[in-house]
Amino acid sequence: MTLLAVERIKLLTTRSPWWCALVALVVTAGFTALVVGNADEEFPATVASTQFGYSFGLAVIMVLAALAVTTEYRFGTIRTTFQAVPNRAAALLAKTTVIAVLSLIIGEITAFVCWGISLLLQPGADLALNSTADWINVAGVGVVYAVASVIAVAVGILVRHSAGAISLLLIYNLAVESLIQLIPSIGDDIYKWLPFNVANKFLTGAGESNAGRMAEAGAPLSSSPLSPGWALAYFAAFAAVLLTIAITTAKRRDA
Amino acid sequence: MIEATGLTKRYGPTLAVDDLSFSVSAGRVTGFLGPNGAGKSTTMRMMLGLDRPTAGDVRIGNRHYDELDHPLRTVGALLEAGWVHPNRSARNHLRWIARSNDIPDRRVDEVLGLVGLTSVAGKRAGGYSLGMQQRLGIAGALLGDPEVLLFDEPVNGLDPEGIHWIRELMHTLAGEGRTVFVSSHLLSEMAQTAQDLVVIGRGKLIYQGTTDDFVASATARTVRVRSPQLPELKQALTRREVSFDESDGALTVSGMDSDAVGELAFAAGVTLHELAPQRGSLEQAFMQLTGEAVEFHTGEPTPD
């Protein structure tokens, strides 16, 4: 508990997390307002369309999480941390937990604000959360943000430089996964198992939350063969493996 | 209190610290002296468990740093004053450090008062001057009221008032029975601060003992004398049991000042052509001692 309190103080006594949280909310909500605001008879607003913009906030969350680690390396406070808490694994796990919880909270607020805005913009549309798929699509966004923040923390620990870690994360998340699809013959098979594609499967499933709207008219569905539950487990396991590698490396390395 | 045995740190092909063994005792200020790049900071990082020794180990009160429960309550350290997030206030910086070792928040305000930062405690640390950052770093080291204090080059870049303040502080801390280990590359600084010295060069131990002995041996005064009647002069000196070296037709007399050498020559009826007191400065002596152990020499032009 002590270590969680320490990391909470550290995270919340600088400004960048607050800015990142605000940016994640504004960017995602803005995109949602555009999509939902333009819905019409032909393309009605659905629960899924209220969450089309989640990946924008996701990118910002990963920046927040990576920065929370890399700034500690940049300003040397990671050494003070290890000096105060020689058990590096415990210190880094506490940090990861605090960042993941903050990301979860930001994700939930963002998702429900987006859903709320959509209700205001399209009072006639069927946006009620009346199935498990609907609930997962909205409330699951916070969970995906939390797991993605763990991935970003792990990359931050491994890379240690802000610019390097952030570009790696953003280029991977925004470009590499989709570009892999372009590899002839095997590209699609690899893509099925890439983490952010799988995370999308968890959120959107087979398109149930997009009911009333043709699949091709919404955001493309994930090609992952997993069920939503297993998709989340797979995404979380990927993050856990990455974090384990990162912490093992940090323990062995000179601080 | 601090005991290093066979401490070694290798970075690729370079040995930063080479089989270093020394001990630091409580109740005294011990200077850790060596030219830049001699391995002082690396040694201090190994003491704090930040760097892993390639071989050997260092113990604080018979325990490794990572075995200490609430380490900040045993060892306080200031390695680099810049290790602060620039957008965090001094108070918040100390608050998280205090929390990590279950140190009550009121101690944060106590140490802020102790180093004279109370009035600016709420301001962002990035806006602090070098001297203020140094004070904040010292506040961090004192937080846990530790028995052992490590300071790496604490007076670097400070004004005379700040230097004086740090010197007094270290004496006070040692006077309270604490172990104070402070590194510097300036012998003149250490001569005024430290009672004991650990001197290293190129990662190797050069000297361990009291500062007085080191300074005395390093700055022994000599007098250079030239005379057309050297044999008579040598006789006179030998009769007085004064030691001297002979080279290039001149004597270098140690243990006697130039006045005494002149009077002795007059009494012996010896003509002198030169009588020159040679006084090595502390820094010169230090350079001589560590000369062979300096890592980075300036390139000397080679005669063609």
Side-chain angles (χ1 to χ4, degrees):
Chain A
M1 283 321 279
T2 304
L3 293 183
L4 293 178
V6 169
E7 294 300 333
R8 181 180 48 82
I9 296 175
K10 271 203 268 186
L11 189 63
L12 300 183
T13 51
T14 58
R15 267 171 293 169
S16 68
W18 300 106
W19 281 111
C20 286
L22 192 67
V23 170
L25 182 64
V26 168
V27 168
T28 313
F31 184 80
T32 303
L34 271 177
V35 169
V36 175
N38 285 322
D40 50 28
E41 303 267 301
E42 196 185 346
F43 303 112
T46 63
V47 171
S49 64
T50 68
Q51 303 301 324
F52 282 172
Y54 87 93
S55 57
F56 293 99
L58 182 76
V60 181
I61 287 294
M62 292 209 290
V63 170
L64 179 160
L67 275 179
V69 180
T70 53
T71 53
E72 287 232 38
Y73 278 99
R74 157 125 190 256
F75 297 121
T77 47
I78 195 78
R79 297 189 184 90
T80 314
T81 304
F82 291 160
Q83 199 183 309
V85 186
N87 183 347
R88 296 185 189 181
L92 291 172
L93 272 176
K95 176 182 266 318
T96 313
T97 308
V98 169
I99 294 170
V101 169
L102 179 70
S103 303
L104 176 76
I105 295 170
I106 297 174
E108 295 306 342
I109 293 174
T110 304
F112 281 95
V113 163
C114 289
W115 181 71
I117 289 176
S118 308
L119 278 183
L120 291 175
L121 290 174
Q122 300 284 351
D126 173 23
L127 297 177
L129 302 177
N130 45 20
S131 72
T132 314
D134 288 346
W135 273 102
I136 290 181
N137 202 168
V138 179
V141 168
V143 179
V144 169
Y145 280 17
V147 177
S149 75
V150 174
I151 294 174
V153 166
V155 171
I157 294 172
L158 286 168
V159 178
R160 289 184 280 183
H161 296 283
S162 302
I166 290 174
S167 25
L168 193 67
L169 286 164
L170 292 189
I171 290 171
Y172 179 80
N173 180 33
L174 300 176
V176 174
E177 279 208 0
S178 15
L179 287 178
I180 280 179
Q181 285 177 285
L182 301 180
I183 301 172
S185 65
I186 52 164
D188 282 331
D189 289 330
I190 299 176
Y191 181 65
K192 278 180 193 164
W193 296 97
L194 293 182
F196 290 95
N197 181 32
V198 176
N200 197 34
K201 175 75 178 202
F202 163 65
L203 288 179
T204 55
E208 297 93 332
S209 55
N210 207 11
R213 186 163 171 159
M214 287 173 294
E216 60 269 26
L221 288 173
S222 168
S223 60
S224 165
L226 297 171
S227 71
W230 282 109
L232 176 63
Y234 178 88
F235 188 48
F238 176 80
V241 168
L242 216 55
L243 184 65
T244 310
I245 295 171
I247 289 180
T248 314
T249 310
K251 276 170 76 175
R252 216 176 291 140
R253 213 159 41 186
D254 288 338
Chain B
M1 225 15 227
I2 306 177
E3 188 85 47
T5 25
L7 206 55
T8 303
K9 180 71 186 180
R10 180 185 286 280
Y11 294 109
T14 39
L15 262 180
V17 177
D18 185 1
D19 195 19
L20 194 59
S21 301
F22 61 87
S23 59
V24 183
S25 36
R28 297 172 76 83
V29 177
T30 303
F32 189 29
L33 190 63
N36 290 328
K40 301 187 297 291
S41 299
T42 307
T43 304
M44 289 183 129
R45 280 204 302 270
M46 288 193 282
M47 288 177 165
L48 296 169
L50 293 176
D51 284 10
R52 208 170 293 274
T54 311
D57 73 350
V58 57
R59 285 161 186 274
I60 291 166
N62 235 342
R63 289 204 286 172
H64 285 126
Y65 188 84
D66 57 11
E67 295 165 357
L68 297 171
D69 193 28
H70 296 311
L72 300 186
R73 297 199 201 161
T74 309
V75 185
L78 167 61
L79 291 199
E80 240 170 81
W83 288 352
V84 176
H85 193 297
N87 287 333
R88 197 176 280 138
S89 71
R91 178 174 285 116
N92 281 331
H93 173 71
L94 294 175
R95 261 183 60 217
W96 76 255
I97 299 177
R99 181 59 79 84
S100 69
N101 277 245
D102 284 337
I103 298 163
D105 265 7
R106 100 186 105 75
R107 178 67 185 160
V108 168
D109 290 313
E110 253 171 58
V111 292
L112 280 168
L114 212 62
V115 300
L117 287 180
T118 306
S119 58
V120 290
K123 296 225 166 73
R124 44 184 293 270
Y128 280 15
S129 69
L130 192 60
M132 287 156 82
Q133 279 189 6
Q134 210 82 7
R135 283 168 187 261
L136 177 56
I138 288 173
L142 296 176
L143 254 185
D145 196 17
E147 303 155 57
V148 180
L149 286 138
L150 307 181
F151 299 109
D152 195 7
E153 305 267 2
V155 301
N156 254 9
L158 289 192
D159 56 11
E161 196 211 330
I163 294 176
H164 180 73
W165 177 77
I166 286 191
R167 232 180 251 159
E168 293 292 302
L169 177 75
M170 288 191 289
H171 284 145
T172 312
L173 292 168
E176 291 164 359
R178 300 175 210 261
T179 309
V180 181
F181 190 56
V182 51
S183 82
S184 173
H185 62 278
L186 298 173
L187 175 57
S188 52
E189 169 58 33
M190 286 296 94
Q192 297 180 64
T193 316
Q195 287 127 4
D196 289 338
L197 282 182
V198 172
V199 184
I200 67 168
R202 271 204 173 169
K204 282 194 172 72
L205 185 72
I206 292 176
Y207 173 86
Q208 155 141 46
T210 66
T211 309
D212 290 344
D213 286 354
F214 184 76
V215 170
S217 70
T219 60
R221 287 183 185 185
T222 56
V223 182
R224 180 182 151 89
V225 202
R226 271 188 321 120
S227 164
Q229 296 156 277
L230 268 188
E232 288 87 336
L233 183 61
K234 288 199 297 201
Q235 243 174 26
L237 286 169
T238 316
R239 238 178 286 132
R240 292 279 293 270
E241 293 179 342
V242 177
S243 64
F244 56 85
D245 292 321
E246 187 177 357
S247 62
D248 303 336
L251 299 182
T252 306
V253 181
S254 27
M256 195 179 220
D257 65 12
S258 55
D259 294 7
V261 176
E263 282 159 17
L264 181 78
F266 181 75
V270 172
T271 308
L272 295 187
H273 284 173
E274 184 182 342
L275 179 65
Q278 314 268 305
R279 195 175 304 150
S281 72
L282 277 178
E283 300 308 330
Q284 268 172 349
F286 176 49
M287 272 157 60
Q288 251 170 34
L289 279 164
T290 57
E292 297 199 341
V294 173
E295 174 96 21
F296 308 103
H297 284 286
T298 46
E300 279 168 45
T302 43
D304 28 3

